[in-house]
Amino acid sequence: MAFGKPDLGSIVPKGTEFDPALVNKMMGKFGHGGFLDMEYVGHGADWVELAIDWREDLVADPDTGILASAVIISLMDNATSMSIWTKLGEFRPQVTMDLRIDYLRPSPSGERVYGRGICYHLTNSIGFVRGFAHNGNPDEPLAHASGTFIRIGDRIS
Amino acid sequence: MTDSPIALPPYAQALDMTIVDEIDGAPVIGMPFADRVQGRPGYLHGGAISGLLEIAAIAAVHRALQAKGSDSAIKQVNVTVDFMRGGLSQMTYAVGEVTRLGRTMANVEARAWQDDRDKPIAMGHMHYLIKAKREDAT
């Protein structure tokens, strides 16, 4: 549930072009996004890239310093969620229906992790997303993600 | 290996997760609501729910390995999380069930709920690779 009810409405007035950098200032700096301190990196027509810095308290295995897999899930959840609004050009309330992550390799200790979320198809109700995480070189992904988001609020209350 | 208490990893401690109970030999992990696990206002973030599922799944696999007398380490291959209900601003629980434990991999299903275990807020399906003994890694 990356973000649902239109509390973003206050910072994303209707009819305004969706700005992922601006929205990340809310999603990435408060709540769980704030705990992880997600940073906006860049975006295109249908994608958004965010990043999280390695931190000791995000580690799953203290022997290796490998990040908890859920850190990657949160990163991909936010990045893919925002890719839908970016492709759509505006905010619409939605929640994550499902999300799958394949871990190709661990994210090494101390390394910043980037997550690129891509919205590859959009219907009236569903946003179909995929994405990948990497440590700075998109050609060397550490995880792949795919999932779906369902629109809520103005359809189903 | 004895039935030593499982020390939760730093990530779990940072989100205030604790072992609160046990179901069918698997630890039940509890996570209180707080700003650091919040997504949209008043609701849990999907990533935090996934984190709780992950910790419960890992704890269940470790417990199952211990029961077999194994001290193998594990490595997560993938996870699919279904989000069924919005997580409200209250205590959340999760438990993992090892549906198959082989020599090379483990299949796990983890369930997260709040008031009623029969009304899960999310379910996770995970695959773990069973790695060589810990002493080989050091």
Side-chain angles (χ1 to χ4, degrees):
Chain A
M1 267 120 285
F3 235 84
K5 286 283 181 187
D7 299 88
L8 285 177
S10 54
I11 59 163
V12 188
K14 240 190 150 46
T16 311
E17 184 75 7
F18 181 78
D19 178 357
L22 181 69
V23 167
N24 187 63
K25 282 187 179 154
M26 181 166 181
M27 283 177 65
K29 301 298 162 194
F30 295 96
H32 193 58
F35 165 73
L36 297 171
D37 200 15
M38 285 192 210
E39 201 162 290
Y40 166 83
V41 175
H43 77 276
D46 62 353
W47 62 270
V48 173
E49 189 160 287
L50 306 173
I52 295 173
D53 283 321
W54 184 91
R55 232 166 58 203
E56 213 165 349
D57 63 344
L58 302 181
V59 161
D61 181 356
D63 293 340
T64 57
I66 290 167
L67 290 177
S69 93
V71 172
I72 315 292
I73 301 182
S74 296
L75 177 65
M76 297 315 299
D77 191 9
N78 278 28
T80 53
S81 180
M82 286 171 63
S83 76
I84 292 172
W85 300 325
T86 301
K87 186 181 174 82
L88 194 63
E90 63 177 10
F91 173 76
R92 80 177 183 192
Q94 62 185 11
V95 292
T96 319
M97 200 151 82
D98 74 319
L99 193 58
R100 174 189 169 115
I101 312 273
D102 284 289
Y103 298 98
L104 311 185
R105 61 175 174 85
S107 186
S109 179
E111 290 210 25
R112 182 170 228 228
V113 50
Y114 297 82
R116 187 175 301 187
I118 303 153
C119 176
Y120 67 91
H121 190 69
L122 201 53
T123 70
N124 195 35
S125 304
I126 307 291
F128 296 87
V129 297
R130 59 173 164 244
F132 58 92
H134 60 91
N135 293 117
N137 179 359
D139 293 331
E140 288 177 14
L142 66 95
H144 277 273
S146 68
T148 47
F149 286 79
I150 185 162
R151 183 179 182 180
I152 57 153
D154 51 351
R155 287 186 72 247
I156 313 154
S157 188
Chain B
M1 281 232 100
T2 55
D3 230 22
S4 57
I6 299 164
L8 295 181
Y11 169 81
Q13 290 177 23
L15 296 185
D16 237 357
M17 294 180 201
T18 49
I19 299 173
V20 294
D21 199 359
E22 200 175 292
I23 295 174
D24 297 331
V28 176
I29 315 291
M31 180 178 76
F33 189 82
D35 180 64
R36 62 183 172 271
V37 294
Q38 184 170 233
R40 57 187 161 126
Y43 291 87
L44 285 172
H45 190 283
I49 300 172
S50 306
L52 181 63
L53 290 168
E54 176 197 6
I55 298 302
I58 291 169
V61 179
H62 279 308
R63 191 59 70 84
L65 284 167
Q66 276 183 0
K68 274 191 12 178
S70 165
D71 62 348
S72 295
I74 58 168
K75 190 175 184 180
Q76 186 161 5
V77 180
N78 53 36
V79 55
T80 305
V81 183
D82 280 325
F83 298 98
M84 289 116 137
R85 291 177 176 87
L88 304 175
S89 54
Q90 63 188 76
M91 191 77 177
T92 310
Y93 305 94
V95 69
E97 184 194 348
V98 181
T99 48
R100 182 178 179 271
L101 180 61
R103 267 182 306 176
T104 53
M105 63 169 294
N107 301 60
V108 186
E109 278 190 30
R111 167 189 296 247
W113 72 94
Q114 293 189 317
D115 292 321
D116 186 351
R117 201 176 144 211
D118 291 328
K119 287 183 178 166
I121 61 165
M123 300 267 309
H125 305 266
M126 298 86 166
H127 295 111
Y128 293 92
L129 196 64
I130 313 288
K131 299 204 294 182
K133 300 263 184 200
R134 280 181 199 279
E135 45 263 34
D136 298 341
T138 52

